[in-house]
Amino acid sequence: MLRCSFLLPHLSAPSPSFSRVIRCSKMSMTPGPLCRKFVPVEQSEISSMSKPDGFNFRLVSYNILAQAYVKSASFPYSPSPCLKWKARSQAILTVLKSFEADFLCLQEVDEYDSFYKKNLESLGYASIYIQRSGKKKDGCGIFYKHNIAELVIEEKIDYNDLVNSVQDGRTSCMDKDGNSLTSETESELKNDLELKDTENDRGDPNDPRVRLKRDCVGIMAAFRLKNPSCHHVIIANTHLYWDPEWADVKLAQAKYLLSRLVEFKKLVADKFDCTPSVLVAGDFNSVPGDQVYQYIVSGTTLVGAETAEDLPIPLSSVYAFTRGEPQFTNCTPGFTGTLDYILFSPSGDIKPVSYLELPETESSDINGGLPNYYHPSDHLPVGAEFEVVQA
């Protein structure tokens, strides 16, 4: 929902002892999904919170875990009832509804036509969606409140297009033996995520045309907010490749994403005579400080000054900007770390005024790993509320 900022000052950060967790389920026999609250940013950091002439919108990004990947053998630590689609689908819907978000950027959506589209329509959301290439069943979707924002233009991103750039000589790609960028943490990530892509699926890793063909996708769209500002916002949603040993592939995808965003932003600016704000959300399968993260937020790739490149669009992570990156957004016995981000272009037209809180490592609701009764995905949602600063 669009919110006037004069409603925000009554919100204050609760004391550490006050629980901001709402139990969404009314079931008494088994625990229900937990729906966490949005926490206001300290006013000393974001002075625009109390401006009476601004308008707010809320965005949440969530890898909801495609049902196609939910196998008991893959999640042996999860209670079996949590893995059944009937229970998971309703838990996911309950959590999504609790956010009261104006925009939802969802990854690993594999029941779009049969479930998510119609059920979120009943909650007031219209949507756009792209399915992954090849035989993959999941994809990325942007769901938006049609009474809050008007979709004016959209573009889909297929990272398999990078294969053509290899033939044109525009993209370099290290082979398997040349990639020495895997850390211990990244190795844990590889072990945990192999269920989504096996060695047999990938072909010859030393052929860059094969290496870059990972069937990953993204989608971006421009929206006109239905408020007196009529401000234009570009929102991109993506899911990058998972394997940390193929860091060059993820980096190539990130560069392609930002290059497409530059072109799209210019198109929107020229077509609608505006200066659009830019938000990028998704599962980047990259931990803070690694190649992809460093490139997106600073324009460098951590492999030496001679390869540093100017960042096409300056971006900041909402959580890093407001409170520091969370300890984790993905939690399993094999890997616990931060992979999901909401990024914004700090142009002054929009500013984050609150963020969705996340559990700490000692939180009982994440014990043993996800998914579980409290969290229907192996990922946690990330979210932020932005103020549109009127000129």
Side-chain angles (χ1 to χ4, degrees), residues 5 48 51 54-56 349-351 353 385-389:
S5 62
S48 67
K51 285 189 177 182
F55 293 86
N56 295 358
D349 294 328
I350 61 171
K351 295 181 180 180
V353 294
E385 191 164 2
F386 295 89
E387 180 188 55
V388 179
V389 182

Side-chain angles (χ1 to χ4, degrees), residues 179-195:
N179 191 340
S180 58
L181 299 170
T182 304
S183 67
E184 181 178 354
T185 299
E186 290 172 329
S187 296
E188 294 173 354
L189 173 60
K190 176 186 176 181
N191 293 335
D192 190 60
L193 295 180
E194 278 186 339
L195 66 122

Side-chain angles (χ1 to χ4, degrees), residues 8 12 27 29 37 62 88 112 130 133 143 181 185 191 194-195 215 243 265 276 307 328 332 335 342 356-357 388:
L8 288 174
S12 59
M27 297 174 61
M29 297 301 295
K37 303 292 286 184
Y62 192 12
R88 282 195 68 239
Y112 175 70
I130 179 173
S133 311
F143 298 78
L181 299 170
T185 299
N191 293 335
E194 278 186 339
L195 66 122
D215 299 332
D243 193 341
K265 182 180 180 182
T307 62
F328 56 91
T332 66
F335 171 81
I342 297 174
L356 183 64
E357 72 168 355
V388 179

Side-chain angles (χ1 to χ4, degrees), residues 221-363:
F223 299 91
R224 182 187 295 112
L225 299 181
K226 293 182 178 180
N227 67 66
S229 74
C230 293
H231 186 68
H232 287 76
V233 179
I234 292 173
I235 296 177
N237 178 24
T238 194
H239 190 181
L240 300 188
Y241 189 53
W242 66 270
D243 193 341
E245 289 191 355
W246 295 40
D248 54 306
V249 172
K250 288 191 283 188
L251 184 60
Q253 291 176 345
K255 290 181 177 180
Y256 184 60
L257 169 65
L258 295 194
S259 68
R260 287 287 302 274
L261 268 173
V262 169
E263 296 173 357
F264 189 64
K265 182 180 180 182
K266 185 177 186 305
L267 172 65
V268 173
D270 293 344
K271 187 176 180 67
F272 301 102
D273 190 24
C274 65
T275 304
S277 302
V278 176
L279 295 169
V280 184
D283 177 355
F284 290 81
N285 274 316
S286 304
V287 297
D290 76 1
Q291 272 195 308
V292 170
Y293 182 93
Q294 194 70 14
Y295 173 73
I296 289 177
V297 301
S298 71
T300 62
T301 60
L302 296 180
V303 292
E306 69 278 6
T307 62
E309 300 174 31
D310 293 332
L311 191 62
I313 296 182
L315 294 171
S316 295
S317 165
V318 165
Y319 281 84
F321 185 81
T322 58
R323 48 141 276 178
E325 295 292 8
Q327 294 176 303
F328 56 91
T329 62
N330 179 235
C331 181
T332 66
F335 171 81
T336 297
T338 298
L339 304 175
D340 307 88
Y341 306 93
I342 297 174
L343 306 148
F344 74 107
S345 187
S347 61
D349 294 328
I350 61 171
K351 295 181 180 180
V353 294
S354 69
Y355 57 86
L356 183 64
E357 72 168 355
L358 295 169
E360 303 294 334
T361 53
E362 63 273 13
S363 298

Side-chain angles (χ1 to χ4, degrees), residues 39-199:
V39 180
V41 176
E42 293 294 333
Q43 293 193 30
S44 60
E45 298 178 40
I46 308 294
S47 60
S48 67
M49 281 188 65
S50 59
K51 285 189 177 182
D53 57 349
F55 293 86
N56 295 358
F57 64 90
R58 183 176 288 181
L59 182 147
V60 170
S61 179
Y62 192 12
N63 181 329
I64 56 178
L65 179 60
Q67 190 64 21
Y69 303 139
V70 179
K71 311 294 182 185
S72 57
S74 303
F75 299 97
Y77 53 88
S78 297
S80 58
C82 302
L83 304 181
K84 297 184 183 300
W85 172 240
K86 184 176 181 180
R88 282 195 68 239
S89 61
Q90 293 306 310
I92 292 170
L93 197 63
T94 297
V95 173
L96 294 179
K97 184 178 179 179
S98 75
F99 297 137
E100 298 183 339
D102 303 303
F103 298 94
L104 293 168
C105 293
L106 306 183
Q107 305 88 43
E108 291 199 20
V109 179
D110 69 343
E111 299 287 347
Y112 175 70
D113 290 314
S114 63
F115 182 80
Y116 290 105
K117 183 179 181 181
K118 62 182 181 181
N119 278 285
L120 287 172
E121 276 180 356
S122 70
L123 299 177
Y125 292 93
S127 59
I128 54 177
Y129 175 75
I130 179 173
Q131 185 170 328
R132 293 178 66 186
S133 311
K135 298 180 180 179
K136 305 297 190 299
K137 297 180 179 180
D138 61 304
C140 296
I142 298 177
F143 298 78
Y144 60 97
K145 285 290 183 74
H146 54 74
N147 65 322
I148 298 300
E150 174 190 0
L151 174 67
V152 295
I153 190 171
E154 67 175 279
E155 285 189 9
K156 296 179 178 179
I157 301 171
D158 186 344
Y159 294 112
N160 285 354
D161 291 343
L162 286 166
V163 174
N164 298 328
S165 67
V166 173
Q167 297 170 342
D168 295 340
R170 290 183 279 114
T171 299
S172 60
C173 191
M174 291 180 289
D175 63 21
K176 187 175 182 179
D177 295 332
N179 191 340
S180 58
L181 299 170
T182 304
S183 67
E184 181 178 354
T185 299
E186 290 172 329
S187 296
E188 294 173 354
L189 173 60
K190 176 186 176 181
N191 293 335
D192 190 60
L193 295 180
E194 278 186 339
L195 66 122
K196 298 182 181 179
D197 190 6
T198 66
E199 294 291 342

